[in-house]
Amino acid sequence: MSALAKENPMKQFSKHSVSAQAMVDAFKRCGIDYVTTVPDMVQIALHQLLDSGESGLKVVHCTTEDQAIEVAGGLYAGGKNVAVIVQNQGLYAGINSLRALGLDSKVPLLFVIGQFGREFSNLGGNPRDSKRRVVFLLEPLLETLGVPYWRLEGPDDMGNVEAAWKASRERSGPAALIVGHFVGW
Amino acid sequence: MKTLDACKILDAHRDDAIVVCTMGAMNALDKLPLNPLTMACVPLMGGAASIGLGLALARPERKVFVFDGDASLLMELGGLVSISHARPKNLYHFVFNNSIQFAGLGNLETPGARSADLVAMAKACGFEAAQRIDALDDLESRLKGILAGPGPSFVEVVVEYDAPALGTENPAVEMTDERFTRMGDEIRRIRHHLGCDAAVAA
């Protein structure tokens, strides 16, 4: 372990993080112009960049995740391209809105879902092997809902942002990008 | 005040506004001539105001009306805060309050029907204007002024409800497939009417 890592154990996990700026750049390549959100703890760096006004993306802050999904539906109806940023708990809370707008109504929705609560010992491993229900239930739940998903486990996975976005457009429905660890500053 | 009569007045004043409707107001609007800029929020109780917020932000050049219900507003009450935080000047949120859930079907009292002050809630959340109207002639006379003012604006429209249709003589009602597909179809119709798909194709 490096001296820096000994000083701050968080540093040793940086290879599992992607930067907030890289995520914003990927969103822009997709043509995304709006983000709706209830903030997610593991994506705080991304939220800070978005809230700074320097990202070029507009942000709609909502008080619940179902609203974030519904506002995204309204923005789509009005011609905008939207990403919905929530954490795993928020996805669980918003399932009926996902069902109504994403699945029944076939509205293309990109969900960016942070794996809140994932133990560091699981980083680099399979999130399904996590000891925490809030983590290991996410992918099976998305499969039950018929929502395709891509993992974002480190910088090598950045292409998955565009893959998930493209899938949401092609299938006219929801697709998910699962952010496995804290986004970097 | 009958919901249908109130909807007729609002519909006559909409000009090129987009309307997101739900619950009893949706059933009433279904009896009026089709407008391609009307969409129903169904079956998604509680979602109308937030869908309206998204539309208002996406299309600031035109007004967006939300025709909500009292119980559906209460289901996502925090949406009032989300709306006031985003401050859409073109959003007009009409809540048809009959203090009843499943009005005309089962008529179950809405929680808070005798105590919750919806107008006070909207004001406290930071809406630009909030008022209660309980007579049809008041709605007619005050509407022009309401729409001339900035949003987000909240109007509680106090309406009557019909007798329950469900009972021993009529024990069940089936949902049609169309009830589960119309929201998406109407979203796509609005996008088409606004030229959104052409913009994407270009």
Side-chain angles (χ1 to χ4, degrees):
Chain A
M1 183 180 292
S2 69
L4 186 59
K6 286 179 181 173
E7 182 183 311
N8 182 354
M10 284 291 292
K11 297 287 185 186
Q12 65 184 300
F13 301 114
S14 59
K15 68 179 180 181
H16 301 296
S17 292
V18 299
S19 77
Q21 187 61 56
M23 290 186 73
V24 165
D25 291 344
F27 290 165
K28 288 181 174 176
R29 286 195 296 275
C30 296
I32 292 168
D33 37 29
Y34 265 91
V35 165
T36 66
T37 187
V38 176
D40 164 35
M41 193 171 93
V42 305
Q43 299 181 79
I44 284 176
L46 176 59
H47 288 299
Q48 289 186 349
L49 177 57
L50 291 169
D51 289 349
S52 72
E54 296 172 1
S55 71
L57 302 177
K58 294 178 181 174
V59 184
V60 184
H61 294 279
C62 298
T63 58
T64 61
E65 287 79 3
D66 45 9
Q67 292 166 41
I69 297 166
E70 292 149 10
V71 173
L75 285 163
Y76 173 77
K80 301 301 181 185
N81 292 325
V82 194
V84 182
I85 300 179
V86 295
Q87 65 180 215
N88 44 18
Q89 295 187 90
L91 191 280
Y92 304 149
I95 285 176
N96 190 49
S97 298
L98 186 161
R99 185 274 312 160
L101 281 160
L103 300 174
D104 286 348
S105 299
K106 299 181 170 53
V107 170
L109 293 168
L110 174 66
F111 286 87
V112 182
I113 308 167
Q115 279 284 35
F116 168 85
R118 187 180 185 184
E119 61 273 50
F120 288 178
S121 60
N122 183 255
L123 294 175
N126 189 341
R128 291 173 185 244
D129 294 333
S130 167
K131 292 177 291 185
R132 281 95 185 253
R133 197 166 278 104
V134 71
V135 174
F136 73 68
L137 281 178
L138 181 59
E139 292 182 359
L141 177 64
L142 290 170
E143 289 169 10
T144 297
L145 293 169
V147 176
Y149 59 85
W150 284 257
R151 292 176 183 170
L152 192 58
E153 296 280 296
D156 291 346
D157 294 335
M158 279 310 297
N160 287 346
V161 179
E162 282 118 314
W165 173 260
K166 189 177 175 189
S168 73
R169 306 294 112 171
E170 289 179 348
R171 71 189 299 261
S172 287
L177 180 74
I178 301 175
V179 182
H181 189 45
F182 281 79
V183 174
W185 275 264
Chain B
M1 184 178 352
K2 297 280 190 188
T3 299
L4 179 58
D5 292 333
C7 283
K8 285 178 180 174
I9 290 174
L10 294 169
D11 193 55
H13 286 79
R14 67 183 286 179
D15 293 326
D16 66 350
I18 300 167
V19 174
V20 182
C21 61
T22 193
M23 317 308 288
M26 175 189 77
N27 296 330
L29 279 183
D30 282 345
K31 296 173 181 168
L32 301 181
L34 176 73
N35 186 308
L37 289 177
T38 296
M39 67 163 283
C41 174
V42 67
L44 181 56
M45 184 171 173
S50 292
I51 292 174
L53 171 59
L55 272 160
L57 294 172
R59 311 303 300 202
E61 76 280 6
R62 66 176 75 217
K63 287 182 168 58
V64 174
F65 294 176
V66 174
F67 294 177
D68 212 344
D70 52 311
S72 54
L73 169 66
L74 291 169
M75 192 169 274
E76 293 190 24
L77 195 53
L80 292 177
V81 173
S82 302
I83 290 170
S84 66
H85 184 74
R87 310 212 65 75
K89 294 187 179 304
N90 55 335
L91 183 64
Y92 297 83
H93 189 176
F94 298 92
V95 175
F96 291 76
N97 186 358
N98 55 19
S99 301
I100 288 292
Q101 299 179 86
F102 298 111
L105 198 62
N107 292 7
L108 310 174
E109 187 178 76
T110 305
R114 286 164 289 182
S115 56
D117 186 338
L118 305 181
V119 169
M121 291 180 187
K123 285 180 180 173
C125 289
F127 272 60
E128 287 289 330
Q131 52 205 299
R132 186 173 194 261
I133 297 177
D134 57 11
L136 201 61
D137 54 352
D138 269 355
L139 180 63
E140 178 86 68
S141 63
R142 290 161 65 181
L143 187 56
K144 193 172 179 182
I146 291 168
L147 298 178
S153 183
F154 182 95
V155 183
E156 179 186 6
V157 183
V158 181
V159 292
E160 306 163 16
Y161 54 90
D162 294 330
L166 281 182
T168 54
E169 297 297 315
N170 182 29
V173 58
E174 184 171 19
M175 296 287 111
T176 63
D177 289 342
E178 189 257 356
R179 195 171 180 85
F180 295 88
T181 56
R182 66 175 291 184
M183 180 161 63
D185 292 340
E186 290 167 5
I187 284 173
R188 284 178 283 279
R189 187 175 67 199
I190 287 175
R191 283 177 58 88
H192 177 74
H193 196 78
L194 296 175
C196 301
D197 297 321
V200 170

